[in-house]
């Protein structure tokens, strides 16, 4: 993942809250981790985006994990996007 202009806090600096991993399905296979990160950062603080890839071809499997530093940030992302946002393609 490319370095962005924003500094991201680790979960240990957020009142000892544990990070939360969200599964996102139906991701267009041509979308990059940077594009997904930019999209989700409109709604919540996101520490990391990991596209799930085929072990052999390394091609996107059309889904990813979003890691948020806290339950609060994860809830913001879910509330803003779940059944409300459709990804292009």
């Amino acid at each position: 993942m490319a370095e962005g202009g924003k500094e991201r806090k680790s979960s240990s600096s957020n009142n000892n809250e544990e990070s939360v991993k969200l599964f996102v399905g139906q991701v267009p296979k041509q979308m990059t981790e940077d594009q997904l990160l930019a999209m989700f950062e409109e709604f919540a603080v996101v520490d990391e985006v990991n596209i799930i890839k085929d072990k052999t071809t390394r091609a996107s499997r059309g889904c990813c994990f979003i890691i948020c530093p806290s339950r609060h940030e994860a809830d913001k992302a879910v509330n803003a996007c779940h059944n409300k946002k459709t990804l292009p393609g």
Side-chain angles (χ1 to χ4, degrees), residues 2-5 7 9 19-20 22-23 28 30 32 34 39-40 48-49 51-52 57 61-62 75 83 85 89:
E3 295 281 326
E7 188 172 311
K9 296 181 181 180
S19 61
V20 176
L22 301 174
F23 175 80
Q30 71 275 9
T32 67
D34 287 338
M39 185 192 80
F40 280 100
E48 194 173 337
V49 175
I51 292 175
I52 300 170
T57 65
R61 294 185 65 194
D75 287 343
N83 288 331
K85 182 129 179 102

Side-chain angles (χ1 to χ4, degrees), residues 4-54:
K6 293 184 180 180
E7 188 172 311
R8 293 182 185 84
K9 296 181 181 180
S10 68
S11 59
S12 62
S13 66
N14 256 347
N15 300 326
N16 294 327
E17 286 190 72
E18 292 193 27
S19 61
V20 176
K21 183 185 280 189
L22 301 174
F23 175 80
V24 180
Q26 300 180 340
V27 174
K29 292 183 178 187
Q30 71 275 9
M31 283 193 84
T32 67
E33 290 173 343
D34 287 338
Q35 290 171 320
L36 289 163
L37 178 64
M39 185 192 80
F40 280 100
E41 282 185 327
E42 291 179 36
F43 310 109
V45 175
V46 177
D47 285 338
E48 194 173 337
V49 175
N50 295 307
I51 292 175
I52 300 170
K53 297 179 180 175
D54 182 274

